[in-house]
Amino acid sequence: MAFDLEKLAEMATPRSERAKDKARFRKENREWLRMSQDIALAVHYYLRNNGMSQKELAEKMGVSPAYIGKLLKGRENLTLETICKLQSSIGSTLISVAQPYVTKTVIQFRPQYVEFSEKTVNSQRYYDMQKSFNSCDFSDSDAA
């Protein structure tokens, strides 16, 4: 089967200026658009898990239901004020800022091995202590 370039050129239409502008906009604003989409997904998840409607969230935030609809499309350039209202309304952190100026102290616990007599090991007090110790989460890795 021969490939007909003339027929292809006849059928193909160049991209419109509007389509080119939209593509350029998406490329230039990729970072905040991606973050907006992530926020929209988190809000969808919250609404679904809490059985809440967009209208109820709008009332809780003090904005219009139409604005919540725009927000849930994932193409809204949100202000810090809106993000804070949203986080307060859903009771969850959506965006956090790195705080390199905050120092965290990590304490590492390295258990020492001690031998106990058989009488001690079989005692109720030893059993209760082991049960309490095993319920704690001691991590050898650095938490940062």
Side-chain angles (χ1 to χ4, degrees):
M1 176 186 255
F3 194 72
D4 190 357
L5 288 176
E6 289 176 20
K7 189 171 185 179
L8 178 63
E10 218 175 273
M11 292 173 59
T13 57
R15 281 189 172 179
S16 69
E17 281 303 312
R18 183 171 179 239
K20 289 178 186 177
D21 289 342
K22 282 177 71 173
R24 194 175 303 111
F25 175 81
R26 283 193 311 272
K27 187 175 181 181
E28 290 170 357
N29 299 290
R30 180 176 291 145
E31 290 178 31
W32 74 259
L33 283 168
R34 186 167 292 140
M35 191 172 285
S36 181
Q37 290 169 352
D38 289 343
I39 290 171
L41 287 173
V43 173
H44 273 292
Y45 180 81
Y46 171 80
L47 292 175
R48 186 178 310 119
N49 282 350
N50 291 295
M52 185 182 277
S53 69
Q54 292 180 25
K55 185 177 180 181
E56 290 170 329
L57 179 61
E59 289 171 1
K60 206 171 182 182
M61 285 181 61
V63 296
S64 71
Y67 183 73
I68 296 296
K70 284 174 63 176
L71 185 146
L72 291 173
K73 288 181 182 176
R75 287 179 263 144
E76 190 67 18
N77 193 357
L78 304 169
T79 64
L80 290 174
E81 181 181 8
T82 303
I83 292 169
C84 289
K85 278 184 187 180
L86 188 55
Q87 289 181 151
S88 295
S89 296
I90 68 173
S92 179
T93 301
L94 297 170
I95 295 179
S96 62
V97 177
Q99 298 175 338
Y101 48 84
V102 174
T103 305
K104 294 182 182 179
T105 304
V106 177
I107 300 172
Q108 290 187 347
F109 175 76
R110 304 236 188 260
Q112 294 180 347
Y113 297 100
V114 178
E115 290 188 36
F116 293 101
S117 68
E118 190 171 325
K119 181 180 176 186
T120 304
V121 171
N122 292 328
S123 72
Q124 183 64 38
R125 185 173 178 195
Y126 179 83
Y127 175 78
D128 292 341
M129 183 180 71
Q130 282 296 104
K131 193 172 158 186
S132 170
F133 182 79
N134 289 336
S135 68
C136 295
D137 181 26
F138 295 104
S139 176
D140 284 341
S141 63
D142 289 343

